[in-house]
């Protein structure tokens, strides 16, 4: 196709840092935070030197003006992924210097306009945010679709920061609406629960709360009980009309926190009852948050519980990681979540009525109920012959299928036995490579390696990298892993 550049550009200073003509048509947009309230000119200036080895297609300055750094026909060096940059328009946006790297409203408005223009000129009718790395990278966009990707999926970075990351669903919706295509939510809608029996609703939403516990550390049973109480099994007016399943108001004690999943402006106004300390009720009209899906409501709720502050103290301190549901619901009540005087008793009754702790157990016992999978190779999930809790049964299945192996949860071959792993050394050339407690970005960080040469004594596959390496100094407890995507063998 004949590539063009945006007519929104107010300043041009082309960077020499690019790979020439693209080898893939444009079907992605990757917005970044530039980590600084820079002008359009300054963003281009960041990439004029060949020693920087970085660039972007467009920059958006703090006043909303757009600059052109690398023409759309050429692949920029922006996302730590050659494959992504070959097919993506990359945009650096002026932002705060510190987490969550907030952008002002002028920059965000300009980003919406620029993404809309990019889609129009490249023949796209909709912009999609799928919200998941693996789902996105496995997705083959239709000819009229553009997909959002993010830098943090390809490198050990926070980019584009939680401020913009939490708004990417809103960005996609606004651009798609501007293109004249009705937006379609990719998440579960509360309206789908309207005619379901309570037991069916519990079964339907359980997996979402289990997944949220893995990420947040908040007991699935407690969050599910709040969902049931606050939304009436997803059937309340607020849930049905706004996907708001926890009574989350637009303004919550003046709090802000990272990881929120609300777009910042969509609200639903309705009357609600508040209970006074003397037990009496008063009716008020309040603005509540409106979400695009139940998943967003769940994620915003847990982010609030983890990050809301009361002065210099966390409002719900001790909730994450708490394994006693009675203690957890008391922490929520004491933090001021609800005015109802018997809130704790109500939640506990719901948990016990539906035996919701079974979903906590399912999360907690995952590591000790590992499955052994029989496949030709780990990436080829379609070849799988079976998944077994007993290793002996898995071995027997592999024996019956020549060319198949048994893999553990981390994708490591456990049968037939391969040759002994030979340790090797790698060089780390970046200062902010995380040391993870396990092989995956879903494990906590122990800090950073710093630059230098390190010995790898084992390998594993896991979330966030093609392969993870165990550092020699953490070999005894196997709790120090680094991504091997950002190192070189010595």
């Amino acid at each position: 196709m004949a590539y063009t550049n945006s007519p929104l550009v107010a300043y041009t200073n082309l960077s020499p840092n690019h790979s020439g003509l693209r080898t893939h048509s444009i079907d992605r947009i990757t917005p970044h935070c530039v980590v600084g309230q820079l002008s359009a000119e300054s963003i281009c200036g960041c990439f004029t030197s060949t020693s920087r080895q970085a660039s972007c297609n467009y920059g958006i300055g703090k006043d909303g003006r757009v600059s052109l750094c690398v023409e759309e026909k050429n692949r920029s060096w922006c996302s730590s992924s050659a494959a992504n940059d070959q097919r993506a328009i990359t945009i650096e946006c002026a932002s705060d210097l510190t987490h969550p790297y907030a952008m002002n409203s002028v920059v965000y408005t300009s980003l919406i306009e620029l993404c809309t223009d990019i889609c129009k000129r490249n023949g796209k009718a909709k912009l999609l945010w799928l919200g998941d790395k693996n789902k996105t990278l496995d997705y083959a966009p239709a000819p009229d679709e553009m997909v959002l990707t993010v830098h943090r999926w390809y490198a050990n970075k926070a980019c584009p920061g939680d401020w913009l990351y939490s708004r990417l669903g809103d960005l996609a919706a606004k651009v798609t609406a501007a293109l004249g295509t009705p937006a379609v939510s990719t998440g579960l809608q509360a309206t789908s629960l309207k005619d379901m029996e309570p037991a069916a609703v519990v079964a339907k939403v359980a997996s979402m709360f289990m997944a949220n516990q893995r990420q947040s550390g908040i007991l699935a049973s407690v969050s599910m009980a709040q969902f049931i109480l606050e939304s009436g099994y997803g059937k309340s007016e607020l849930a049905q009309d706004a996907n708001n399943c926890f009574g989350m108001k637009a303004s919550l004690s003046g709090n802000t926190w990272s990881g929120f999943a609300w777009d910042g402006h969509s609200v639903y106004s309705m009357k609600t009852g508040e209970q006074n300390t003397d037990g009496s009720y008063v009716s008020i009209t309040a603005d509540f948050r409106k979400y695009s899906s139940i998943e967003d409501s769940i994620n915003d709720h847990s982010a609030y519980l983890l990050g809301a502050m009361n002065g210099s103290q966390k409002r719900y301190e001790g909730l994450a990681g708490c394994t006693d549901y009675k203690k957890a619901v008391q922490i929520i009540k004491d933090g001021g979540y609800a005015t109802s005087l018997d809130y704790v008793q109500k939640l506990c009754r719901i948990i016990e009525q539906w035996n919701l702790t079974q979903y906590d157990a399912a999360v907690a016992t995952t590591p000790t109920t590992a499955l052994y999978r029989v496949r030709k190779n780990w990436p080829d999930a379609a070849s799988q012959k079976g998944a077994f809790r007993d290793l002996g049964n898995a071995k027997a299945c592999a024996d019956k299928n020549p060319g198949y192996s048994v893999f553990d949860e981390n994708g490591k071959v456990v049968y037939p036995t391969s040759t002994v792993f030979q340790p090797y050394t790698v060089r780390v050339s970046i200062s902010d490579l995380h040391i993870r407690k396990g092989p995956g970005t879903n494990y906590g960080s122990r800090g950073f390696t710093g630059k230098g040469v390190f010995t790898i004594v084992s390998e594993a596959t896991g979330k966030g990298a093609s392969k993870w390496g165990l550092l020699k100094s953490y070999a005894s407890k196997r709790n120090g892993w680094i991504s091997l995507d950002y190192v070189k063998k010595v």
Side-chain angles (χ1 to χ4, degrees):
M1 63 169 290
Y3 293 104
T4 60
N5 299 315
S6 177
L8 300 175
V9 170
Y11 173 80
T12 299
N13 188 357
L14 296 180
S15 170
N17 303 328
H18 62 81
S19 300
L21 296 178
R22 297 176 180 275
T23 59
H24 195 288
S25 60
I26 296 169
D27 59 8
R28 293 179 182 176
I29 296 176
T30 310
H32 299 249
C33 58
V34 79
V35 190
Q37 295 293 356
L38 304 184
S39 66
E41 290 81 1
S42 295
I43 293 176
C44 279
C46 293
F47 308 119
T48 55
S49 172
T50 55
S51 63
R52 182 69 186 274
Q53 294 290 291
S55 64
C56 61
N57 292 112
Y58 294 103
I60 300 178
K62 60 185 179 181
D63 60 356
R65 295 168 63 247
V66 178
S67 57
L68 178 66
C69 305
V70 172
E71 294 186 90
E72 285 192 28
K73 66 182 181 181
N74 294 327
R75 173 210 147 189
S76 66
W77 301 343
C78 202
S79 306
S80 303
S81 167
N84 184 73
D85 287 344
Q86 286 287 7
R87 58 198 298 182
I89 297 297
T90 57
I91 308 169
E92 289 280 4
C93 303
S95 71
D96 287 347
L97 283 167
T98 57
H99 181 83
Y101 307 109
M103 300 169 189
N104 65 48
S105 59
V106 176
V107 171
Y108 187 57
T109 298
S110 186
L111 177 61
I112 294 170
E113 293 174 351
L114 179 58
C115 289
T116 302
D117 171 66
I118 291 168
C119 288
K120 283 182 178 178
R121 288 183 295 100
N122 286 278
K124 310 300 182 183
K126 62 186 74 172
L127 179 62
L128 305 180
W129 169 239
L130 303 181
D132 177 84
K133 175 183 177 181
N134 293 330
K135 183 188 296 185
T136 302
L137 300 188
D138 290 341
Y139 185 76
D144 67 341
E145 292 178 338
M146 190 81 81
V147 179
L148 285 167
T149 56
V150 288
H151 192 182
R152 62 172 68 177
W153 289 348
Y154 306 103
N156 193 30
K157 305 284 186 182
C159 183
D162 286 347
W163 188 93
L164 181 57
Y165 190 81
S166 68
R167 288 167 169 78
L168 291 177
D170 177 68
L171 174 65
K174 282 183 167 58
V175 170
T176 299
L179 294 169
T181 303
V184 178
S185 173
T186 58
L188 181 67
Q189 302 298 297
T191 51
S192 68
L193 308 178
K194 185 175 182 180
D195 298 322
M196 294 176 65
E197 293 297 321
V201 173
V202 172
K204 179 78 171 178
V205 302
S207 61
M208 293 190 290
F209 286 97
M210 292 165 65
N212 183 263
Q213 180 180 342
R214 293 188 184 97
Q215 179 180 7
S216 69
I218 300 172
L219 286 172
S221 61
V222 173
S223 297
M224 288 179 72
Q226 285 194 281
F227 163 83
I228 291 169
L229 178 61
E230 299 286 354
S231 72
Y233 300 91
K235 300 176 184 182
S236 69
E237 175 189 343
L238 187 58
Q240 289 289 303
D241 292 343
N243 282 315
N244 187 329
C245 299
F246 299 93
M248 297 280 283
K249 292 179 180 175
S251 177
L252 291 164
S253 305
N255 267 282
T256 59
W257 56 91
S258 63
F260 55 87
W262 179 49
D263 63 18
H265 60 83
S266 298
V267 298
Y268 183 83
S269 299
M270 60 175 282
K271 287 186 176 181
T272 182
E274 300 283 353
Q275 189 173 19
N276 298 318
T277 55
D278 62 2
S280 62
Y281 282 88
V282 59
S283 180
I284 63 171
T285 298
D287 287 338
F288 293 85
R289 299 180 176 209
K290 187 174 183 178
Y291 302 101
S292 63
S293 66
I294 291 179
E295 289 93 332
D296 280 353
S297 181
I298 294 172
N299 292 335
D300 197 43
H301 170 251
S302 62
Y304 167 72
L305 293 177
L306 293 178
M309 303 296 291
N310 185 8
S312 61
Q313 301 294 319
K314 283 193 174 182
R315 187 175 288 271
Y316 306 101
E317 184 66 51
L319 181 59
C322 178
T323 58
D324 183 339
Y325 73 85
K326 293 181 179 179
K327 182 178 179 181
V329 296
Q330 189 65 55
I331 290 172
I332 291 173
K333 177 64 172 70
D334 291 345
Y337 186 93
T339 60
S340 174
L341 301 182
D342 59 349
Y343 195 69
V344 171
Q345 293 84 351
K346 288 178 179 177
L347 290 180
C348 288
R349 282 197 296 268
I350 292 171
I351 292 171
E352 291 155 8
Q353 174 189 356
W354 292 106
N355 187 26
L356 298 183
T357 55
Q358 65 180 299
Y359 302 111
D360 300 332
V363 174
T365 58
T366 296
T368 58
T369 57
L371 293 174
Y372 296 99
R373 293 171 171 81
V374 180
R375 300 178 180 177
K376 284 186 177 180
N377 55 70
W378 181 250
D380 188 6
S383 70
Q384 183 166 300
K385 292 295 184 180
F388 304 87
R389 299 199 183 283
D390 183 80
L391 178 58
N393 292 337
K395 289 180 177 179
C397 179
D399 289 339
K400 294 178 182 178
N401 294 277
Y404 281 72
S405 301
V406 179
F407 297 85
D408 66 12
E409 290 287 288
N410 294 319
K412 180 181 178 181
V413 175
V414 296
Y415 181 79
T417 304
S418 58
T419 57
V420 178
F421 182 88
Q422 295 296 320
Y424 59 89
T425 55
V426 297
R427 183 179 299 280
V428 177
S429 300
I430 59 177
S431 59
D432 57 352
L433 182 63
H434 279 285
I435 302 173
R436 298 284 181 179
K437 295 178 182 178
T441 53
N442 50 317
Y443 290 89
S445 173
R446 308 186 65 92
F448 304 96
T449 60
K451 298 179 181 180
V453 176
F454 302 85
T455 300
I456 302 299
V457 296
S458 182
E459 293 180 347
T461 57
K463 184 177 180 181
S466 59
K467 195 169 290 291
W468 293 85
L470 176 63
L471 295 171
K472 182 179 180 180
S473 54
Y474 296 91
S476 61
K477 295 184 178 180
R478 297 182 65 82
N479 62 350
W481 297 78
I482 61 173
S483 168
L484 298 180
D485 293 344
Y486 308 107
V487 304
K488 288 186 177 181
K489 282 190 176 181
V490 177

